[in-house]
Amino acid sequence: MSALPRVRELPPSASGRSRHDPLLGVAHAALSAAWGLTAALRRQRPVPEPERTHTLTVADRRVVAQDRDVVALTLAAADGSALPRWFPGAHIDIHLPSGRVRQFSLNGDPATRDSYRIAVRRIPDGGGGSTEVHDDLAVGATVTTSGPRNAFPLSMPGYGSPTQSFRFIAGGIGITPILPMLRQAQGLGVDWTMVYVGRSADSLPFVDEVTRYGDRVEIRTDDVHGLPAADDLLGDCPDATAVYACGPPPMLTAIRTRLAGRDNVELHFERFAAPPVVDGKPFSVCVASTGEVVEVNADETLLSALRRSGVAAPYSCQQGFCGTCRTRVLGGTVDHRDTLLTDPERDAGTMLVCISRAPEGERLTLDL
Ligand code: FES
């Protein structure tokens, strides 16, 4: 999403210093005054931009792990028309019949233009999205989708990246964004290896699709090899390696810690869960519709506190990139921690409750 022009700063000169043109100063003052005068109007505007959606039909459904807890769905337009293009690492939003919105990585072949393939692991104690997919999306069911979007893009060595080889690391269902990356790396003849880890062989989806790459792929399961250490995940990882990792938080933390200070290794990763709260302070929110006050602890997200208190708030990625949890702020100061909202959106009184917070002791009033 491109940021709108900022009008609060003078344009810098070519040498990096501020210009001192008096006419620019007058123009800046006028713009600043206009910005301030229209603040109230901007607060009234609905902020979310409409995103194009598609109604797709479940054209195929296949169990892809021996434990039967992962299903792959092929989604296609009813008239067979081409769908928007995508590239490895992309995901789509699925708007489920219940109203839940969830993101799923596209894991098929980007060259297939008339369908998307996603895969979903059943998580019985999750937020309900995965069980809804498993239980309610039979072949023939329709869902609304938006996207694709890509928060985990692949930069190819020799095609915009200074690296020379890939190390792919997938944990369980984290294989889904990696699968199209393997296909692309293999197709372009780039040097790559992968380690694929999980609890047991039964739990790993798409084993048949990764083993066809032969010795490039190592499969390690906890029941046979024990929990993998960072060096097991990274392999020899020489300089000029690009690491692409997707899996559970402890796996990603181990990789990030091990690569600290390795400036010649690129690390790209995607989470499946909310990141841990860093430097959080306690604050509170008032739910405008009921007057209920919810205390937010230093180590929990605002979204977690709302859910703990039974306050309904939409969410999906829980990482500040999808925008599903946009909420209007009617009062209080926000500590914005996302990279999605533009300054005008923030100025208009919008926050992402999954990741943004408030200063210590602050009370926010939310339009919930
Ligand atoms: S849930 Fe995706 S941005 Fe908050």
Side-chain angles (χ1 to χ4, degrees):
M1 181 180 295
S2 60
L4 296 173
R6 299 166 71 103
V7 297
R8 291 178 174 171
E9 297 172 359
L10 289 171
S13 69
S15 62
R17 290 172 296 163
S18 294
R19 290 174 175 152
H20 297 290
D21 184 333
L23 284 178
L24 277 175
V26 170
H28 175 247
L31 282 169
S32 295
W35 185 257
L37 286 171
T38 57
L41 288 174
R42 281 183 277 112
R43 285 183 189 280
Q44 304 303 317
R45 282 205 322 239
V47 173
E49 296 175 8
E51 188 173 26
R52 190 168 174 209
T53 60
H54 301 268
T55 301
L56 303 183
T57 301
V58 179
D60 187 43
R61 176 182 165 117
R62 183 165 69 93
V63 174
V64 290
Q66 287 182 24
D67 65 7
R68 307 194 64 76
D69 279 343
V70 184
V71 291
L73 304 183
T74 300
L75 307 172
D79 62 1
S81 57
L83 301 176
R85 287 185 65 84
W86 62 281
F87 298 93
H91 66 269
I92 55 172
D93 296 345
I94 304 273
H95 304 249
L96 294 165
S98 65
R100 296 182 180 101
V101 181
R102 293 291 182 268
Q103 272 96 43
F104 298 103
S105 296
L106 296 176
N107 62 56
D109 182 351
T112 301
R113 295 298 315 279
D114 60 357
S115 66
Y116 295 143
R117 189 181 71 169
I118 63 169
V120 185
R121 169 168 288 285
R122 180 190 288 277
I123 303 175
D125 55 354
S130 70
T131 53
E132 185 174 355
V133 170
H134 274 253
D135 296 341
D136 297 345
L137 295 189
V139 171
T142 58
V143 289
T144 302
T145 68
S146 51
R149 287 176 280 158
N150 201 331
F152 190 35
L154 183 70
S155 296
M156 297 301 293
Y159 295 81
S161 168
T163 54
Q164 294 170 6
S165 63
F166 288 125
R167 175 66 168 178
F168 296 110
I169 305 172
I173 194 68
I175 190 64
T176 50
I178 301 288
L179 275 178
M181 296 182 180
L182 305 184
R183 181 189 297 272
Q184 183 159 335
Q186 186 78 3
L188 292 175
V190 177
D191 186 24
W192 66 273
T193 61
M194 182 178 85
V195 63
Y196 186 17
V197 299
R199 292 190 316 276
S200 63
D202 281 4
S203 70
L204 296 179
F206 297 115
V207 170
D208 55 335
E209 295 193 20
V210 299
T211 52
R212 73 178 182 211
Y213 293 112
D215 292 345
R216 288 184 182 276
V217 176
E218 177 192 9
I219 295 179
R220 292 181 58 98
T221 56
D222 301 349
D223 57 350
V224 174
H225 304 90
L227 286 173
D231 287 341
D232 298 322
L233 298 169
L234 288 164
D236 53 3
C237 198
D239 287 351
T241 299
V243 176
Y244 283 77
C246 185
M251 186 189 98
L252 298 178
T253 300
I255 295 167
R256 296 175 72 192
T257 303
R258 188 70 182 85
L259 288 180
R262 292 284 310 274
D263 294 339
N264 289 326
V265 173
E266 281 185 9
L267 173 60
H268 308 260
F269 61 91
E270 185 168 68
R271 302 174 190 275
F272 278 163
V277 175
V278 176
D279 291 335
K281 301 286 190 298
F283 62 99
S284 63
V285 293
C286 175
V287 179
S289 62
T290 62
E292 180 182 0
V293 173
V294 175
E295 301 292 336
V296 184
N297 298 319
D299 61 351
E300 69 178 343
T301 65
L302 169 50
L303 176 64
S304 302
L306 291 171
R307 296 183 66 203
R308 168 170 56 73
S309 303
V311 178
Y315 70 93
S316 185
C317 72
Q318 302 183 66
Q319 299 172 55
F321 66 76
C322 76
T324 304
C325 68
R326 286 171 192 260
T327 302
R328 295 199 68 199
V329 182
L330 304 177
T333 301
V334 177
D335 170 13
H336 290 283
R337 297 187 171 197
D338 65 282
T339 56
L340 180 69
L341 297 180
T342 61
D343 284 347
E345 286 175 316
R346 292 176 177 182
D347 291 344
T350 302
M351 74 178 294
L352 300 182
V353 298
C354 71
I355 197 157
S356 293
R357 310 180 58 82
E360 184 167 17
E362 179 74 344
R363 173 164 298 177
L364 302 178
T365 302
L366 300 182
D367 188 12
L368 288 171

